[in-house]
Amino acid sequence: MNISENKYGDLLGSEKIFKTISNVAGKIDQQAFVIGGYVRDQILKRETKDIDIVTLGSGIELAKKTAKVLNCSPVKIFKNFGTAMINVGEIEVQFVGARKESYRKNSRNPVVEDGTIEEDQNRRDFTINALAISLNKKDYGEFIDPFNGTQDLNEKVLKTPLDPDITFSDDPLRMMRAIRFSSQLDFNIESSTLKAIQKNADRISIVAQERITEELNKIILSDQPSKGFKLLEETGLLKLIFLEFQLLKGVDILEGKSHKDNFYHTLKVLDNILPYSKGNLWLRWAALLHDIAKPNTKRFNTKQGWTFHGHEDKGARMVPNIFRKLKLPLDHQMKYVQKLVLLHLRPISLTNESITDSALRRLLFEAGNDLEDLMTLCQSDITSKNKEKKIKYLNRFEQVKKKLRDLEDRDKIKNWQPPIGGKEIMETFNIKPCKEVGILKESIKNAILDGIIKNSYQEAYDYLLIKAKEIGIIEK
Ligand code: ATP
Ligand code: MG
């Protein structure tokens, strides 16, 4: 099939790059093809910034010669993999020699030999990722689709080119990729392919954590992360890669009282937060982890039924370990997630009582610049099926938001620092760092937040002297 004649129109959008590769490949008598993600995404009309070229011969040679003509050196060479990469403006072009792969049981790294284009297509993970377009003079633009990948694209199905059992056992990362593509593209996984994932789930243990987490993050950032998580759960992968999340699943019943299934509740919260968190991986992580300590804090008593007291605090304390295990960054991004988990009940608890300025000021102070994200998380956390209840909550929530805005306009608490800090306290009383410095610092902060004293240096200083006397730093 010639690409210009088929219903997808001209798929070789980056014309200059492809024509150049075609010419260069012709000169060195080496066949070349565009393959994989680029072809798939062109048909799906998705934006792609990476192009994969497969050639019958040396990918490195072809890359070097193409780079010369396009005047876009340097070529990045990955000798161990026999691949090379060039950047043409924003576009990344990867070159690799066609290869045939065979796998050993305990490694994702195959034994690689030179192969034909068919053999190279055989080693691709899904039929929709095995499509190729010829860049050769004799049939430039010809579509090579040995596994009916275009049909699967139309039917929105993910299917492996060869026996799925072998495909997944060979490289178990492909199981994560299947679920990732399903969430990103809204495709279904064909039933024998899905069964093979269930069967081979345990093999995920040979994959490096970084690769698993990369796919997990892509699922979380996709348009349908909850679809991905349900698939991870159904296939048995979830308990292997993220046990804490699996443990949210299930409902207990005692004395006729049950609690909600926190797995589905969390996915609902994630769905609710999607429109407000496009590209914001960490806000989505906060949504995923907000109730993570519910299984650990679950208690039952006859009067109250099921309770999860302290799950926000315990959850925040679980975050570093989860991030460490998943090899997620342990920096300010983790701290941000931790903060949102810790504070996720605060705005909603404010709607239950008559709201004092003091409670609002505290929230502003503790959430700081992340207040808006916290409010978004809280609002997404309202998943009640009872419509009236939901509207009531959301209305009260709007009131809290308004009060917070008014208070912040007045008091500017968000990025506020108390007028007297630890250093000044030590200098005033000529003392070294000690517990008392912390106590005094906290007491000034609290007095201002609670409205006992005004936010002024003089009042803070007078208050400091009183407190210092009380705790015996200076004589009464
Ligand atoms: P994206 O770029 O959105 O992550 P992609 O399908 O292009 O998706 P790449 O990692 O860029 O993924 O890989 C390019 C191509 O290489 C894929 O389309 C597929 O044909 C092949 N490929 C990648 N990883 C694997 C794998 N683990 N097993 C088999 N084939 C793979
Ligand atoms: Mg790609």
Side-chain angles (χ1 to χ4, degrees):
M1 191 201 312
N2 190 301
I3 207 67
S4 51
E5 290 163 6
N6 82 59
K7 63 180 169 175
Y8 301 112
D10 177 16
L11 295 185
L12 295 178
S14 302
E15 196 63 35
K16 188 177 165 205
I17 301 175
F18 293 122
K19 280 266 151 66
T20 309
I21 296 171
S22 175
N23 280 334
V24 173
K27 275 194 192 126
I28 57 175
D29 201 19
Q30 198 168 297
Q31 291 190 42
F33 306 83
V34 197
I35 194 156
Y38 178 86
V39 184
R40 176 198 71 216
D41 288 342
Q42 287 294 105
I43 296 176
L44 292 175
K45 301 198 168 25
R46 289 176 89 223
E47 205 190 324
T48 7
K49 289 216 175 83
D50 58 327
I51 297 177
D52 289 285
I53 302 292
V54 63
T55 179
L56 307 188
S58 164
I60 296 174
E61 271 317 296
L62 183 60
K64 280 185 183 164
K65 295 205 159 94
T66 305
K68 234 186 202 161
V69 179
L70 287 171
N71 211 359
C72 63
S73 36
V75 184
K76 286 187 203 121
I77 295 173
F78 308 95
K79 260 223 171 91
N80 291 349
F81 300 101
T83 62
M85 201 186 80
I86 59 173
N87 287 88
V88 191
E90 291 237 285
I91 300 173
E92 221 178 71
V93 192
Q94 188 102 29
F95 293 80
V96 61
R99 56 206 229 187
K100 185 174 146 184
E101 293 178 342
S102 47
Y103 285 81
R104 293 153 293 170
K105 193 81 187 148
N106 295 320
S107 165
R108 279 190 65 220
N109 303 324
V111 179
V112 177
E113 294 166 67
D114 289 347
T116 61
I117 181 70
E118 291 79 26
E119 281 164 339
D120 197 277
Q121 284 172 301
N122 284 340
R123 74 171 179 90
R124 303 275 158 175
D125 49 2
F126 304 106
T127 60
I128 62 163
N129 286 346
L131 302 165
I133 299 174
S134 165
L135 296 180
N136 305 311
K137 285 261 153 60
K138 65 175 167 50
D139 55 1
Y140 185 86
E142 179 98 3
F143 215 43
I144 308 161
D145 179 12
F147 310 110
N148 264 330
T150 44
Q151 192 182 328
D152 292 340
L153 273 179
N154 284 328
E155 290 173 6
K156 301 181 114 202
V157 171
L158 284 155
K159 198 194 281 182
T160 55
L162 305 179
D163 180 346
D165 206 21
I166 297 169
T167 304
F168 292 131
S169 173
D170 278 352
D171 177 1
L173 182 69
R174 293 167 180 162
M175 301 189 284
M176 292 297 297
R177 281 174 57 91
I179 295 174
R180 186 255 286 193
F181 286 121
S182 173
S183 319
Q184 277 183 333
L185 307 175
D186 193 16
F187 275 36
N188 288 323
I189 302 176
E190 180 264 339
S191 74
S192 67
T193 301
L194 191 66
K195 278 203 191 101
I197 299 182
Q198 280 157 343
K199 185 170 163 207
N200 287 283
D202 285 352
R203 301 254 318 134
I204 199 70
S205 63
I206 66 163
V207 180
Q209 185 60 53
E210 289 83 349
R211 307 302 298 275
I212 297 174
T213 298
E214 200 181 319
E215 294 301 327
L216 193 62
N217 282 343
K218 285 185 180 173
I219 293 171
I220 295 169
L221 278 175
S222 74
D223 285 345
Q224 294 209 62
S226 55
K227 180 173 182 155
F229 276 96
K230 282 177 198 158
L231 281 167
L232 286 171
E233 204 280 324
E234 266 167 51
T235 53
L237 280 165
L238 189 63
K239 63 175 184 297
L240 302 169
I241 63 164
F242 188 6
L243 180 62
E244 292 84 350
F245 200 72
Q246 173 77 52
L247 294 176
L248 291 173
K249 190 159 184 268
V251 176
D252 299 273
I253 307 173
L254 270 181
E255 297 175 14
K257 289 180 180 156
S258 60
H259 59 77
K260 62 186 164 202
D261 186 313
N262 288 304
F263 175 76
Y264 294 106
H265 162 71
T266 300
L267 293 185
K268 185 85 193 80
V269 177
L270 190 60
D271 282 341
N272 288 346
I273 215 166
L274 291 188
Y276 312 100
S277 58
K278 289 223 154 72
N280 189 347
L281 179 63
W282 306 110
L283 182 52
R284 291 191 179 181
W285 264 109
L288 276 169
L289 295 179
H290 78 284
D291 277 347
I292 201 69
K294 277 203 168 167
N296 287 331
T297 52
K298 181 165 58 190
R299 302 280 179 275
F300 182 83
N301 72 54
T302 308
K303 239 189 185 165
Q304 289 175 290
W306 295 98
T307 65
F308 305 92
H309 292 309
H311 74 273
E312 70 285 14
D313 187 56
K314 172 96 184 145
R317 278 185 282 126
M318 285 168 73
V319 171
N321 257 340
I322 292 174
F323 268 49
R324 200 169 296 120
K325 266 199 291 194
L326 293 176
K327 293 221 160 51
L328 287 164
L330 300 172
D331 55 7
H332 63 281
Q333 282 149 335
M334 182 199 80
K335 291 242 163 69
Y336 161 88
V337 173
Q338 227 181 351
K339 186 202 263 185
L340 294 192
V341 173
L342 180 67
L343 297 178
H344 83 269
L345 294 177
R346 290 279 286 281
I348 207 80
S349 76
L350 290 177
T351 62
N352 290 336
E353 58 196 61
S354 54
I355 315 162
T356 61
D357 278 2
S358 154
L360 290 170
R361 259 192 231 111
R362 278 186 178 282
L363 184 60
L364 280 170
F365 179 73
E366 283 172 50
N369 279 338
D370 301 319
L371 182 76
E372 226 160 273
D373 287 355
L374 176 67
M375 297 306 270
T376 306
L377 173 61
C378 272
Q379 204 157 334
S380 308
D381 198 10
I382 303 171
T383 60
S384 170
K385 285 203 184 84
N386 180 332
K387 266 206 179 127
E388 270 170 41
K389 217 169 157 185
K390 197 167 168 167
I391 291 171
K392 196 173 86 188
Y393 266 132
L394 288 173
N395 280 341
R396 281 209 218 144
F397 204 74
E398 283 307 318
Q399 288 170 19
V400 175
K401 269 174 141 171
K402 184 173 174 326
K403 287 204 168 162
L404 282 167
R405 266 197 306 271
D406 292 348
L407 196 68
E408 173 61 15
D409 283 347
R410 218 172 61 217
D411 291 3
K412 301 268 176 289
I413 294 288
K414 257 193 207 171
N415 289 315
W416 169 77
Q417 284 301 321
I420 297 180
K423 192 159 166 262
E424 189 171 346
I425 295 172
M426 289 190 281
E427 282 166 8
T428 305
F429 304 117
N430 196 19
I431 52 176
K432 296 226 157 64
C434 60
K435 195 173 82 193
E436 282 74 13
V437 176
I439 295 172
L440 289 171
K441 206 172 115 186
E442 269 300 294
S443 70
I444 296 174
K445 185 192 89 187
N446 289 335
I448 295 174
L449 289 175
D450 290 340
I452 296 170
I453 56 169
K454 283 221 178 72
N455 181 19
S456 80
Y457 181 84
Q458 193 54 50
E459 290 207 15
Y461 190 79
D462 294 345
Y463 190 76
L464 173 66
L465 296 182
I466 296 169
K467 283 285 144 183
K469 275 183 198 155
E470 265 177 36
I471 64 171
I473 291 280
I474 51 175
E475 280 178 27
K476 288 196 183 177

